[in-house]
Amino acid sequence: MSSSQHSRPSSGPSSNLPPDDATVAAPSAPSRVPLDHRQLWTKAAVGANTYDFASGRVTPTIYERTTAAALRHEALNLGQGFTDHEGPQWMLETAAAAITDPQQGPGNQYPPGPGLPALREAIAADQQRRWGIELDPTSEVLVTTGATEAITASILAFAAPGTQVLTFEPHYDSYGAVTAIAGAELVGVPLRGPDFRPDIDALEAAITERTSLILLNTPHNPTGTVFSTEELRRIVELARRHDVKIMCDGVYEQLVFDDAAEPHRPILTIPGADEVAVAIGSAGKSFSLTGWKVGWVTGRAELVNQVLGIKQFLSFCSGPAYQWAVATGLADDRGFYAENVAGLQAGRDLLYAGLEAAGLRPNHAEAGYFIVADIRGLTDIGDVEFCRMLVEEVGVAAIPVSSLTVQHRANPQDELQNLVRFAFCKRHETIEAAMDRLAQRLPAALDHRPA
Ligand code: PMP
Ligand code: GLN
């Protein structure tokens, strides 16, 4: 099959569902390996752009590939979104004490599958205190193994086989994999620079009678866009009108900067949202403890119960000590959130200035861990090749945004093929050192490229 048969309009929605024939060629990697669509692993890999069409093997995720490349080339890692400093010391100590002194905490045996009662209560109390959202901790809060499991269980619960799932793209990588496992088709509605605001009319235009679910992510990875109240209100209205569910991934909800156009609004604060939407959170991002993998799903009991139907057979439960420590953090963050957001915002500003000085066009991230920068003012080599050059020749690792999109865009000029994601959730000296490398080495690296 020629690559032109994968063409999509460059500004319209695109779909990642692999064509139904037996052998499929990715535009950039002609295939000789048959793609067996009966196997779920191939669907997951194609859905998350982790299928290597040349070898027929699964590759690690783009985040892991980037970290591995950073280590290999001794590059500064502004790729994968983890902090290069630890979360609050007192939370580390609480978790450690819970493990070694079982009398003090929940012990080390299976906790309840839906989560430790102490954590479910802490999540409900936190949502009530900050946003006025009333949740019954016993039926409307479900603890998961990271937001990743919450996403997986929600998509598998709500996306019926043969239906369509809509999301704004670029999007978090697992949305593509899990939608494909569910036997559904992910359709991407592009977020366009320089502001990367969601185009609600385009979202509505992409809805068909096959649409079962909308995947939202606010604050958004990788653009840092915080969806406005009006944008969310319109999305909820059209989901209700078209009888479509919403999964809203809010893992960056504690990381909103003071110059965001509007404060973050959790989906469940929008009138009527509780009838169609579940919300997702993660302690990994809120407390800079990405390895702990404590996440949650909230929403009305009926929907949370449906997610539980899947979740309890994915991991059943996750580690009690981490859950215990997160419960104490949610009850009282001891000033950590404010300090953390201030540090992230200062990191964002350092990164923005460095990228702009290097001739890239960075966006104004309102929240989260990332800036996306348009490379078209500097070069036409595309994001994948730019990131390869960056890690190998400049010594800085970053993520090509096209790997976070629904694949098979034919147009190399498309904005989504020319954006690079840089993480600022790193120590300021790491960011400064990376920007120094960009200033010193990027011009030469670009000049030395064969014409
Ligand atoms: N959603 C988004 C948008 C993310 O960036 C991430 C990465 N942390 C996740 C979900 C996964 O979160 P967790 O590490 O809690 O599984
Ligand atoms: N959320 C992180 C990011 O966006 C990565 C998580 C992962 O590696 N799965 O970089």
Side-chain angles (χ1 to χ4, degrees), residues 63 81 145-151 171-175 217 219-222 249-252 280-285 289-291 293-295 369-370 421:
Y63 306 123
T145 303
T148 303
E149 188 187 46
I151 292 164
H171 60 79
Y172 190 56
D173 63 346
S174 79
Y175 301 174
N217 173 210
H220 184 256
N221 173 4
D249 176 346
V251 301
Y252 298 97
I280 287 174
S282 169
K285 297 287 141 69
L289 295 164
T290 60
K293 302 297 284 186
V294 175
Y369 277 179
F370 312 108
R421 189 191 86 172

mmCIF file of all heavy atoms in Angstrom, residues 63 81 145-151 171-175 217 219-222 249-252 280-285 289-291 293-295 369-370 421, ligand 1:
data_model
loop_
_atom_site.group_PDB
_atom_site.id
_atom_site.type_symbol
_atom_site.label_atom_id
_atom_site.label_comp_id
_atom_site.label_asym_id
_atom_site.label_seq_id
_atom_site.Cartn_x
_atom_site.Cartn_y
_atom_site.Cartn_z
ATOM 1 N N TYR A 63 8.712 7.682 25.260
ATOM 2 C CA TYR A 63 9.338 8.256 26.459
ATOM 3 C C TYR A 63 10.565 7.429 26.865
ATOM 4 O O TYR A 63 11.623 7.967 27.186
ATOM 5 C CB TYR A 63 8.341 8.296 27.620
ATOM 6 C CG TYR A 63 7.059 9.009 27.272
ATOM 7 C CD1 TYR A 63 5.823 8.383 27.385
ATOM 8 C CD2 TYR A 63 7.086 10.324 26.814
ATOM 9 C CE1 TYR A 63 4.649 9.042 27.068
ATOM 10 C CE2 TYR A 63 5.920 10.985 26.480
ATOM 11 C CZ TYR A 63 4.701 10.346 26.606
ATOM 12 O OH TYR A 63 3.549 10.989 26.282
ATOM 13 N N GLY A 81 8.804 12.852 31.005
ATOM 14 C CA GLY A 81 8.297 13.765 32.027
ATOM 15 C C GLY A 81 8.399 13.229 33.442
ATOM 16 O O GLY A 81 7.398 12.854 34.032
ATOM 17 N N THR A 145 -3.651 1.996 39.865
ATOM 18 C CA THR A 145 -2.188 1.947 39.799
ATOM 19 C C THR A 145 -1.726 2.998 38.785
ATOM 20 O O THR A 145 -1.565 2.730 37.606
ATOM 21 C CB THR A 145 -1.723 0.536 39.417
ATOM 22 O OG1 THR A 145 -2.256 -0.371 40.390
ATOM 23 C CG2 THR A 145 -0.207 0.423 39.437
ATOM 24 N N GLY A 146 -1.584 4.215 39.289
ATOM 25 C CA GLY A 146 -1.257 5.346 38.427
ATOM 26 C C GLY A 146 -2.474 5.764 37.617
ATOM 27 O O GLY A 146 -3.467 5.039 37.505
ATOM 28 N N ALA A 147 -2.373 6.966 37.052
ATOM 29 C CA ALA A 147 -3.426 7.411 36.133
ATOM 30 C C ALA A 147 -3.482 6.483 34.929
ATOM 31 O O ALA A 147 -4.528 6.319 34.303
ATOM 32 C CB ALA A 147 -3.155 8.843 35.693
ATOM 33 N N THR A 148 -2.359 5.849 34.627
ATOM 34 C CA THR A 148 -2.312 4.965 33.456
ATOM 35 C C THR A 148 -3.367 3.864 33.557
ATOM 36 O O THR A 148 -4.091 3.590 32.591
ATOM 37 C CB THR A 148 -0.908 4.350 33.317
ATOM 38 O OG1 THR A 148 0.034 5.424 33.241
ATOM 39 C CG2 THR A 148 -0.786 3.486 32.083
ATOM 40 N N GLU A 149 -3.478 3.250 34.735
ATOM 41 C CA GLU A 149 -4.489 2.208 34.875
ATOM 42 C C GLU A 149 -5.898 2.804 34.859
ATOM 43 O O GLU A 149 -6.845 2.181 34.345
ATOM 44 C CB GLU A 149 -4.285 1.407 36.163
ATOM 45 C CG GLU A 149 -5.220 0.216 36.208
ATOM 46 C CD GLU A 149 -5.178 -0.518 37.531
ATOM 47 O OE1 GLU A 149 -5.214 0.131 38.590
ATOM 48 O OE2 GLU A 149 -5.112 -1.756 37.507
ATOM 49 N N ALA A 150 -6.038 4.004 35.417
ATOM 50 C CA ALA A 150 -7.350 4.668 35.393
ATOM 51 C C ALA A 150 -7.790 4.915 33.949
ATOM 52 O O ALA A 150 -8.959 4.724 33.589
ATOM 53 C CB ALA A 150 -7.268 5.987 36.156
ATOM 54 N N ILE A 151 -6.840 5.341 33.115
ATOM 55 C CA ILE A 151 -7.130 5.588 31.694
ATOM 56 C C ILE A 151 -7.520 4.272 31.015
ATOM 57 O O ILE A 151 -8.520 4.187 30.300
ATOM 58 C CB ILE A 151 -5.884 6.205 31.008
ATOM 59 C CG1 ILE A 151 -5.627 7.617 31.526
ATOM 60 C CG2 ILE A 151 -6.034 6.183 29.484
ATOM 61 C CD1 ILE A 151 -4.230 8.149 31.206
ATOM 62 N N HIS A 171 -1.644 13.791 21.908
ATOM 63 C CA HIS A 171 -2.321 13.206 23.054
ATOM 64 C C HIS A 171 -1.377 12.256 23.786
ATOM 65 O O HIS A 171 -0.365 11.817 23.232
ATOM 66 C CB HIS A 171 -3.568 12.442 22.600
ATOM 67 C CG HIS A 171 -3.254 11.326 21.650
ATOM 68 N ND1 HIS A 171 -2.771 10.105 22.059
ATOM 69 C CD2 HIS A 171 -3.319 11.253 20.292
ATOM 70 C CE1 HIS A 171 -2.564 9.341 21.006
ATOM 71 N NE2 HIS A 171 -2.870 10.006 19.918
ATOM 72 N N TYR A 172 -1.737 11.921 25.026
ATOM 73 C CA TYR A 172 -0.918 10.999 25.819
ATOM 74 C C TYR A 172 -0.867 9.633 25.120
ATOM 75 O O TYR A 172 -1.878 9.149 24.616
ATOM 76 C CB TYR A 172 -1.506 10.885 27.227
ATOM 77 C CG TYR A 172 -0.590 10.146 28.149
ATOM 78 C CD1 TYR A 172 0.718 10.584 28.337
ATOM 79 C CD2 TYR A 172 -1.001 9.015 28.812
ATOM 80 C CE1 TYR A 172 1.578 9.901 29.162
ATOM 81 C CE2 TYR A 172 -0.139 8.325 29.646
ATOM 82 C CZ TYR A 172 1.149 8.772 29.807
ATOM 83 O OH TYR A 172 2.010 8.093 30.624
ATOM 84 N N ASP A 173 0.304 9.006 25.121
ATOM 85 C CA ASP A 173 0.499 7.837 24.250
ATOM 86 C C ASP A 173 -0.454 6.679 24.527
ATOM 87 O O ASP A 173 -0.912 5.990 23.612
ATOM 88 C CB ASP A 173 1.968 7.356 24.284
ATOM 89 C CG ASP A 173 2.445 6.857 25.649
ATOM 90 O OD1 ASP A 173 1.755 7.101 26.665
ATOM 91 O OD2 ASP A 173 3.529 6.226 25.690
ATOM 92 N N SER A 174 -0.810 6.466 25.800
ATOM 93 C CA SER A 174 -1.599 5.269 26.094
ATOM 94 C C SER A 174 -3.022 5.357 25.540
ATOM 95 O O SER A 174 -3.674 4.333 25.357
ATOM 96 C CB SER A 174 -1.610 4.977 27.601
ATOM 97 O OG SER A 174 -2.508 5.800 28.285
ATOM 98 N N TYR A 175 -3.508 6.566 25.246
ATOM 99 C CA TYR A 175 -4.869 6.672 24.688
ATOM 100 C C TYR A 175 -4.971 5.857 23.388
ATOM 101 O O TYR A 175 -5.979 5.198 23.130
ATOM 102 C CB TYR A 175 -5.264 8.116 24.363
ATOM 103 C CG TYR A 175 -5.265 9.115 25.498
ATOM 104 C CD1 TYR A 175 -5.502 10.464 25.223
ATOM 105 C CD2 TYR A 175 -5.034 8.753 26.820
ATOM 106 C CE1 TYR A 175 -5.519 11.418 26.240
ATOM 107 C CE2 TYR A 175 -5.031 9.702 27.838
ATOM 108 C CZ TYR A 175 -5.272 11.035 27.540
ATOM 109 O OH TYR A 175 -5.269 11.975 28.528
ATOM 110 N N ASN A 217 -7.882 15.967 28.183
ATOM 111 C CA ASN A 217 -6.725 16.069 29.059
ATOM 112 C C ASN A 217 -6.488 17.547 29.340
ATOM 113 O O ASN A 217 -6.021 18.279 28.485
ATOM 114 C CB ASN A 217 -5.516 15.423 28.363
ATOM 115 C CG ASN A 217 -4.208 15.600 29.101
ATOM 116 O OD1 ASN A 217 -3.150 15.644 28.491
ATOM 117 N ND2 ASN A 217 -4.256 15.696 30.409
ATOM 118 N N PRO A 219 -5.189 20.150 32.702
ATOM 119 C CA PRO A 219 -4.194 20.771 31.834
ATOM 120 C C PRO A 219 -3.550 19.720 30.922
ATOM 121 O O PRO A 219 -3.381 18.575 31.310
ATOM 122 C CB PRO A 219 -3.177 21.337 32.818
ATOM 123 C CG PRO A 219 -3.932 21.503 34.108
ATOM 124 C CD PRO A 219 -4.930 20.409 34.142
ATOM 125 N N HIS A 220 -3.169 20.198 29.734
ATOM 126 C CA HIS A 220 -2.852 19.285 28.647
ATOM 127 C C HIS A 220 -1.357 18.975 28.528
ATOM 128 O O HIS A 220 -0.514 19.865 28.607
ATOM 129 C CB HIS A 220 -3.362 19.911 27.333
ATOM 130 C CG HIS A 220 -3.193 19.053 26.138
ATOM 131 N ND1 HIS A 220 -2.219 19.267 25.195
ATOM 132 C CD2 HIS A 220 -3.871 17.963 25.727
ATOM 133 C CE1 HIS A 220 -2.322 18.353 24.242
ATOM 134 N NE2 HIS A 220 -3.320 17.552 24.545
ATOM 135 N N ASN A 221 -1.076 17.696 28.322
ATOM 136 C CA ASN A 221 0.259 17.228 27.944
ATOM 137 C C ASN A 221 0.203 16.951 26.448
ATOM 138 O O ASN A 221 -0.633 16.135 26.032
ATOM 139 C CB ASN A 221 0.578 15.939 28.727
ATOM 140 C CG ASN A 221 1.867 15.265 28.291
ATOM 141 O OD1 ASN A 221 2.595 15.779 27.454
ATOM 142 N ND2 ASN A 221 2.137 14.093 28.855
ATOM 143 N N PRO A 222 1.039 17.560 25.609
ATOM 144 C CA PRO A 222 2.235 18.329 25.928
ATOM 145 C C PRO A 222 2.102 19.847 25.832
ATOM 146 O O PRO A 222 3.105 20.530 26.033
ATOM 147 C CB PRO A 222 3.203 17.861 24.837
ATOM 148 C CG PRO A 222 2.327 17.690 23.636
ATOM 149 C CD PRO A 222 1.006 17.179 24.187
ATOM 150 N N ASP A 249 -8.702 13.480 31.851
ATOM 151 C CA ASP A 249 -7.418 13.185 32.486
ATOM 152 C C ASP A 249 -6.864 14.507 33.039
ATOM 153 O O ASP A 249 -6.499 15.403 32.278
ATOM 154 C CB ASP A 249 -6.516 12.585 31.390
ATOM 155 C CG ASP A 249 -5.106 12.296 31.842
ATOM 156 O OD1 ASP A 249 -4.702 12.774 32.913
ATOM 157 O OD2 ASP A 249 -4.400 11.596 31.093
ATOM 158 N N GLY A 250 -6.822 14.596 34.375
ATOM 159 C CA GLY A 250 -6.400 15.856 35.001
ATOM 160 C C GLY A 250 -5.142 15.705 35.834
ATOM 161 O O GLY A 250 -5.012 16.349 36.877
ATOM 162 N N VAL A 251 -4.202 14.900 35.372
ATOM 163 C CA VAL A 251 -3.044 14.602 36.222
ATOM 164 C C VAL A 251 -2.200 15.839 36.551
ATOM 165 O O VAL A 251 -1.495 15.849 37.548
ATOM 166 C CB VAL A 251 -2.125 13.487 35.637
ATOM 167 C CG1 VAL A 251 -2.885 12.193 35.434
ATOM 168 C CG2 VAL A 251 -1.434 13.917 34.369
ATOM 169 N N TYR A 252 -2.332 16.900 35.735
ATOM 170 C CA TYR A 252 -1.527 18.107 36.007
ATOM 171 C C TYR A 252 -2.321 19.179 36.756
ATOM 172 O O TYR A 252 -1.933 20.350 36.771
ATOM 173 C CB TYR A 252 -0.959 18.677 34.695
ATOM 174 C CG TYR A 252 -0.031 17.708 34.016
ATOM 175 C CD1 TYR A 252 -0.481 16.886 32.988
ATOM 176 C CD2 TYR A 252 1.285 17.560 34.430
ATOM 177 C CE1 TYR A 252 0.353 15.952 32.390
ATOM 178 C CE2 TYR A 252 2.130 16.638 33.840
ATOM 179 C CZ TYR A 252 1.660 15.833 32.820
ATOM 180 O OH TYR A 252 2.494 14.910 32.252
ATOM 181 N N ILE A 280 -9.883 11.875 36.209
ATOM 182 C CA ILE A 280 -8.706 11.078 36.580
ATOM 183 C C ILE A 280 -7.640 11.984 37.195
ATOM 184 O O ILE A 280 -7.399 13.092 36.704
ATOM 185 C CB ILE A 280 -8.168 10.349 35.328
ATOM 186 C CG1 ILE A 280 -9.134 9.216 34.970
ATOM 187 C CG2 ILE A 280 -6.751 9.819 35.550
ATOM 188 C CD1 ILE A 280 -8.818 8.504 33.703
ATOM 189 N N GLY A 281 -7.018 11.515 38.270
ATOM 190 C CA GLY A 281 -5.924 12.262 38.891
ATOM 191 C C GLY A 281 -4.752 11.340 39.162
ATOM 192 O O GLY A 281 -4.847 10.117 39.044
ATOM 193 N N SER A 282 -3.618 11.939 39.561
ATOM 194 C CA SER A 282 -2.409 11.146 39.842
ATOM 195 C C SER A 282 -1.549 11.847 40.885
ATOM 196 O O SER A 282 -1.253 13.043 40.754
ATOM 197 C CB SER A 282 -1.589 10.961 38.572
ATOM 198 O OG SER A 282 -0.319 10.416 38.881
ATOM 199 N N ALA A 283 -1.147 11.082 41.898
ATOM 200 C CA ALA A 283 -0.226 11.632 42.890
ATOM 201 C C ALA A 283 1.167 11.806 42.314
ATOM 202 O O ALA A 283 1.949 12.615 42.787
ATOM 203 C CB ALA A 283 -0.160 10.705 44.097
ATOM 204 N N GLY A 284 1.481 11.046 41.272
ATOM 205 C CA GLY A 284 2.817 11.121 40.673
ATOM 206 C C GLY A 284 3.154 12.546 40.298
ATOM 207 O O GLY A 284 4.255 13.042 40.581
ATOM 208 N N LYS A 285 2.208 13.227 39.649
ATOM 209 C CA LYS A 285 2.457 14.586 39.193
ATOM 210 C C LYS A 285 2.283 15.595 40.321
ATOM 211 O O LYS A 285 3.068 16.515 40.470
ATOM 212 C CB LYS A 285 1.509 14.922 38.029
ATOM 213 C CG LYS A 285 1.735 14.055 36.803
ATOM 214 C CD LYS A 285 3.018 14.428 36.088
ATOM 215 C CE LYS A 285 3.791 13.268 35.547
ATOM 216 N NZ LYS A 285 3.286 12.523 34.459
ATOM 217 N N LEU A 289 6.320 12.442 42.437
ATOM 218 C CA LEU A 289 6.646 11.063 42.807
ATOM 219 C C LEU A 289 6.159 10.147 41.686
ATOM 220 O O LEU A 289 5.298 9.286 41.899
ATOM 221 C CB LEU A 289 5.946 10.712 44.135
ATOM 222 C CG LEU A 289 6.400 11.506 45.369
ATOM 223 C CD1 LEU A 289 5.407 11.366 46.522
ATOM 224 C CD2 LEU A 289 7.792 11.046 45.815
ATOM 225 N N THR A 290 6.711 10.349 40.494
ATOM 226 C CA THR A 290 6.114 9.679 39.328
ATOM 227 C C THR A 290 6.235 8.162 39.403
ATOM 228 O O THR A 290 5.424 7.446 38.829
ATOM 229 C CB THR A 290 6.737 10.180 38.000
ATOM 230 O OG1 THR A 290 8.139 9.901 38.013
ATOM 231 C CG2 THR A 290 6.501 11.659 37.796
ATOM 232 N N GLY A 291 7.227 7.664 40.153
ATOM 233 C CA GLY A 291 7.398 6.212 40.227
ATOM 234 C C GLY A 291 6.421 5.518 41.175
ATOM 235 O O GLY A 291 6.343 4.292 41.179
ATOM 236 N N LYS A 293 3.129 5.622 41.233
ATOM 237 C CA LYS A 293 1.980 5.079 40.502
ATOM 238 C C LYS A 293 0.733 4.927 41.380
ATOM 239 O O LYS A 293 0.182 3.839 41.554
ATOM 240 C CB LYS A 293 2.339 3.726 39.851
ATOM 241 C CG LYS A 293 3.508 3.786 38.888
ATOM 242 C CD LYS A 293 3.265 4.666 37.688
ATOM 243 C CE LYS A 293 2.368 4.048 36.656
ATOM 244 N NZ LYS A 293 2.288 4.899 35.436
ATOM 245 N N VAL A 294 0.318 6.042 41.933
ATOM 246 C CA VAL A 294 -0.966 6.079 42.641
ATOM 247 C C VAL A 294 -1.854 7.067 41.891
ATOM 248 O O VAL A 294 -1.536 8.255 41.799
ATOM 249 C CB VAL A 294 -0.803 6.521 44.112
ATOM 250 C CG1 VAL A 294 -2.187 6.652 44.778
ATOM 251 C CG2 VAL A 294 0.069 5.530 44.878
ATOM 252 N N GLY A 295 -2.930 6.557 41.325
ATOM 253 C CA GLY A 295 -3.871 7.405 40.601
ATOM 254 C C GLY A 295 -5.283 7.148 41.082
ATOM 255 O O GLY A 295 -5.500 6.353 42.008
ATOM 256 N N TYR A 369 4.283 20.196 32.727
ATOM 257 C CA TYR A 369 5.712 19.896 32.701
ATOM 258 C C TYR A 369 6.407 20.297 31.386
ATOM 259 O O TYR A 369 7.614 20.133 31.285
ATOM 260 C CB TYR A 369 5.902 18.380 32.839
ATOM 261 C CG TYR A 369 5.881 17.805 34.234
ATOM 262 C CD1 TYR A 369 6.024 16.432 34.416
ATOM 263 C CD2 TYR A 369 5.762 18.608 35.372
ATOM 264 C CE1 TYR A 369 6.026 15.864 35.686
ATOM 265 C CE2 TYR A 369 5.754 18.044 36.633
ATOM 266 C CZ TYR A 369 5.890 16.672 36.791
ATOM 267 O OH TYR A 369 5.902 16.101 38.040
ATOM 268 N N PHE A 370 5.636 20.727 30.367
ATOM 269 C CA PHE A 370 6.220 20.756 29.024
ATOM 270 C C PHE A 370 5.954 22.044 28.245
ATOM 271 O O PHE A 370 4.910 22.680 28.412
ATOM 272 C CB PHE A 370 5.650 19.599 28.187
ATOM 273 C CG PHE A 370 5.676 18.280 28.888
ATOM 274 C CD1 PHE A 370 4.505 17.698 29.341
ATOM 275 C CD2 PHE A 370 6.880 17.633 29.137
ATOM 276 C CE1 PHE A 370 4.519 16.479 30.018
ATOM 277 C CE2 PHE A 370 6.912 16.423 29.812
ATOM 278 C CZ PHE A 370 5.733 15.842 30.259
ATOM 279 N N ARG A 421 8.764 18.502 21.951
ATOM 280 C CA ARG A 421 8.382 18.719 23.353
ATOM 281 C C ARG A 421 9.613 18.701 24.246
ATOM 282 O O ARG A 421 10.383 17.748 24.232
ATOM 283 C CB ARG A 421 7.411 17.623 23.802
ATOM 284 C CG ARG A 421 6.808 17.915 25.169
ATOM 285 C CD ARG A 421 6.069 16.712 25.731
ATOM 286 N NE ARG A 421 6.965 15.823 26.448
ATOM 287 C CZ ARG A 421 6.566 14.769 27.170
ATOM 288 N NH1 ARG A 421 5.278 14.457 27.239
ATOM 289 N NH2 ARG A 421 7.433 14.016 27.805
HETATM 290 N N1 PMP B 1 -1.908 11.205 31.672
HETATM 291 C C1 PMP B 1 -1.046 12.145 31.277
HETATM 292 C C2 PMP B 1 -1.534 13.279 30.460
HETATM 293 C C3 PMP B 1 0.304 12.029 31.628
HETATM 294 O O1 PMP B 1 1.171 12.952 31.212
HETATM 295 C C4 PMP B 1 0.733 10.936 32.380
HETATM 296 C C5 PMP B 1 2.175 10.788 32.732
HETATM 297 N N2 PMP B 1 2.326 10.930 34.069
HETATM 298 C C6 PMP B 1 -0.206 9.989 32.780
HETATM 299 C C7 PMP B 1 -1.514 10.148 32.397
HETATM 300 C C8 PMP B 1 0.176 8.763 33.564
HETATM 301 O O2 PMP B 1 0.197 9.033 34.919
HETATM 302 P P1 PMP B 1 0.728 7.946 35.968
HETATM 303 O O3 PMP B 1 2.208 8.050 35.985
HETATM 304 O O4 PMP B 1 0.084 8.337 37.262
HETATM 305 O O5 PMP B 1 0.264 6.611 35.499
#
